[in-house]
Amino acid sequence: MSGNVILIGWDGSVQGKAVERLLKTQGLACEHRSAQEAVNPVGASAEVLLVRESGAQAPRLPVLQALHDSGNHRSVILVGDCLLPEQVVQATRMGALDVLPEPLDNERLMAALQRARLSSLSTHVDEVIREDCPSILGSSPKMVEVFKQLGVAASNDLNVLLTGETGVGKEVSAYCIHRHSARAGGPYVAINCTAIPEGLLEAELFGHARGAYTNAVSDGIGKIEAAQGGTLLLDEIGDMSPTFQAKLLRFLEDKQFHRLGDASVRSADVRIIAATNRNLLAEVEAGRFRRDLYYRLAQFPISIPPLRERPDDIRSLVRAFVAEANLRLGLKITEVSEEAEAAALGYHWPGNVRELKNLVYQAAVRTRVGSIAGFPFAVGAEGECPSSQGIKAGGLESLVKRAVAGGRVRHLLEEFEALTLRSLMEAFEGNRSRISEELGISRNTLRAKLKVHGL
């Protein structure tokens, strides 16, 4: 266990020295600070504040009150001698996660500290879940530069093109731009251009009139109208057909459109953010994507780097997703083993942050309580890109032998499918239309399979 504990109200006391010795034997860094220093922290941050107050000050709790009034967001444990029930109620109301009586029981104190540290982690991730904070994408120098660009994009109303491999966080980035822009009070609407059959995409985007097609029993607004005054995310824009590219270009030129089956011209004030895992400039040069549409969409391009190029983010992301799994699934994961962390740091992560989250969730659900010993990588996938590892090790026969030796035969078909899809995504540079065509399945089926495997 590692972390920082600030002791407030213990300095110079026999009890304080005993607590300090206990914390150090458990691998916890600790230091004494005054209440004023805790309210206005300088230097290293703390995960937990261990505050000592006295029942003799009843009904007041001056240190806890000062922390509460200062907007403290750190986890707090209150320790007190002869605390009155009224003080215990007040402490809980002011955010204390636990109230422990003196003399202290060491086991109870360590259990309270573990809960407090986990709560501190979970509180941060809860904010991420509720607010889609971009910190979930990482905090490495490369991602800090991306965040700066997101801030610039939020400060203007230009169309934005987000590029990056599958799973790097383009959707979260798009929402971040919207949430910090002048359009934050308006709607945020997203549409995945590959998830909707081309025949229905026009109606889905522009809306339709009654009778425009079978089962169109009433008029319906499209995503563009639904995003009026706000932001519209066009995800997987690189897979859009040439025919529909022309229709989208017409809308971008003057923000006017008409619903399917209706000649009436309508207009919409919408900011467009497009996202793709394709190299659109290469698609332009190959004649598969309109050059004029590209320049309309890429008024402010932002490229998000893959996870393998920013390994500094892996530890923090694993930590965040473990806490998120605890929060959402009611689990009690306390840590990730050094071996599991090392394996994560050495993995190629072709599915990027989405794959990492998928594997962390799988490992957390299987572990449920305590320490995660390892992540359920596809057979033969650790260390290198799975496809190259499997080929070097002797292909399918080697994968099967490893599964038998590792007692993972039950998961072999699922893992081989994941391995195959990863390899195809690399071989076809993320071109989902081409992959689905080669496999003989629909794009929706492929998309569902990729989602299952965190790709």
Side-chain angles (χ1 to χ4, degrees):
M1 189 193 309
S2 63
N4 295 318
V5 179
I6 298 299
L7 304 177
I8 304 171
W10 300 83
D11 199 14
S13 67
V14 174
Q15 297 92 331
K17 292 179 180 177
V19 168
E20 187 175 347
R21 286 195 298 271
L22 173 65
L23 296 181
K24 287 182 177 179
T25 62
Q26 298 296 318
L28 287 168
C30 62
E31 60 179 290
H32 294 272
R33 289 190 188 176
S34 68
Q36 184 61 36
E37 290 172 333
V39 169
N40 301 298
V42 177
S45 61
E47 289 181 338
V48 182
L49 304 182
L50 190 60
V51 178
R52 189 182 188 220
E53 302 240 39
S54 173
Q57 302 176 32
R60 300 175 61 248
L61 293 169
V63 176
L64 210 59
Q65 185 68 58
L67 289 169
H68 178 264
D69 292 345
S70 71
N72 170 66
H73 294 295
R74 294 159 292 181
S75 297
V76 176
I77 297 173
L78 176 65
V79 177
D81 62 317
C82 303
L83 291 175
L84 299 181
E86 181 182 355
Q87 288 176 298
V88 175
V89 172
Q90 283 192 42
T92 304
R93 179 181 60 81
M94 289 189 289
L97 293 176
D98 214 334
V99 180
L100 304 178
E102 287 191 285
L104 273 173
D105 178 273
N106 288 350
E107 289 187 7
R108 187 174 176 185
L109 172 60
M110 294 311 301
L113 285 169
Q114 183 62 58
R115 286 194 300 271
R117 292 180 62 235
L118 188 58
S119 173
S120 176
L121 196 58
S122 297
T123 298
H124 166 69
V125 176
D126 188 30
E127 293 172 356
V128 169
I129 294 170
R130 287 184 282 106
E131 300 180 14
D132 287 322
C133 175
S135 61
I136 197 65
L137 297 171
S139 56
S140 64
K142 285 191 175 184
M143 286 310 299
V144 170
E145 288 304 311
V146 171
F147 297 152
K148 290 178 181 177
Q149 293 181 59
L150 296 180
V152 174
S155 68
N156 61 64
D157 210 36
L158 297 175
N159 294 332
V160 177
L161 177 62
L162 297 169
T163 59
E165 295 179 6
T166 297
V168 293
K170 297 186 290 294
E171 294 177 52
V172 178
S173 297
Y175 182 74
C176 174
I177 293 171
H178 168 76
R179 185 161 58 86
H180 291 281
S181 73
R183 294 178 177 268
Y188 173 80
V189 179
I191 180 171
N192 189 307
C193 299
T194 63
I196 302 168
E198 185 174 341
L200 298 178
L201 185 57
E202 182 175 0
E204 188 72 17
L205 192 61
F206 298 116
H208 64 268
R210 178 181 179 181
Y213 57 86
T214 305
N215 296 328
V217 295
S218 61
D219 292 346
I221 67 170
K223 299 295 187 183
I224 287 176
E225 286 183 84
Q228 170 65 30
T231 305
L232 174 64
L233 169 64
L234 299 175
D235 200 8
E236 305 294 355
I237 193 75
D239 291 327
M240 187 175 285
S241 72
T243 301
F244 201 79
Q245 289 177 34
K247 295 177 180 178
L248 177 60
L249 177 63
R250 282 197 296 272
F251 168 71
L252 293 177
E253 286 174 344
D254 55 16
K255 296 297 177 73
Q256 293 187 335
F257 66 99
H258 61 82
R259 294 177 179 175
L260 183 64
D262 184 354
S264 303
V265 177
R266 302 171 185 270
S267 62
D269 174 24
V270 177
R271 197 231 186 124
I272 300 294
I273 300 178
T276 181
N277 59 4
R278 309 277 286 276
N279 183 336
L280 280 195
L281 275 177
E283 295 295 298
V284 168
E285 296 302 323
R288 291 187 291 267
F289 200 85
R290 294 182 63 114
R291 189 178 299 272
D292 46 4
L293 178 58
Y294 171 81
Y295 288 116
R296 285 284 184 181
L297 294 171
Q299 292 177 339
F300 194 90
I302 300 176
S303 177
I304 304 175
L307 190 55
R308 64 180 174 276
E309 293 182 5
R310 44 189 178 99
D312 292 348
D313 286 331
I314 292 176
R315 284 191 180 91
S316 60
L317 288 171
V318 167
R319 186 183 185 206
F321 288 138
V322 165
E324 182 182 308
N326 280 334
L327 187 70
R328 285 183 166 171
L329 306 178
L331 307 177
K332 297 180 180 179
I333 305 300
T334 55
E335 62 182 355
V336 176
S337 71
E338 292 182 2
E339 294 78 9
E341 188 174 87
L345 289 170
Y347 183 49
H348 186 65
W349 296 113
N352 292 291
V353 178
R354 185 179 297 140
E355 182 184 12
L356 186 148
K357 179 177 180 179
N358 182 283
L359 290 183
V360 169
Y361 264 63
Q362 288 186 47
V365 168
R366 292 175 182 179
T367 305
R368 300 198 65 79
V369 176
S371 175
I372 290 178
F375 296 108
F377 296 105
V379 178
E382 293 185 40
E384 294 184 63
C385 170
S387 56
S388 62
Q389 178 96 350
I391 292 170
K392 292 178 181 179
L396 178 59
E397 182 179 356
S398 176
L399 297 182
V400 172
K401 287 180 179 179
R402 293 186 187 192
V404 172
R408 298 181 58 81
V409 174
R410 180 178 301 179
H411 305 288
L412 182 59
L413 291 179
E414 174 186 339
E415 292 171 343
F416 185 66
E417 181 178 73
L419 180 62
T420 301
L421 290 174
R422 285 192 187 99
S423 300
L424 289 172
M425 288 290 285
E426 289 186 358
F428 293 108
E429 298 181 345
N431 188 332
R432 298 186 182 191
S433 298
R434 178 74 184 280
I435 294 171
S436 60
E437 181 181 338
E438 293 289 340
L439 290 174
I441 61 177
S442 70
R443 287 192 300 178
N444 284 346
T445 300
L446 175 64
R447 181 169 176 267
K449 289 181 179 293
L450 291 172
K451 185 176 183 180
V452 166
H453 297 297
L455 300 173

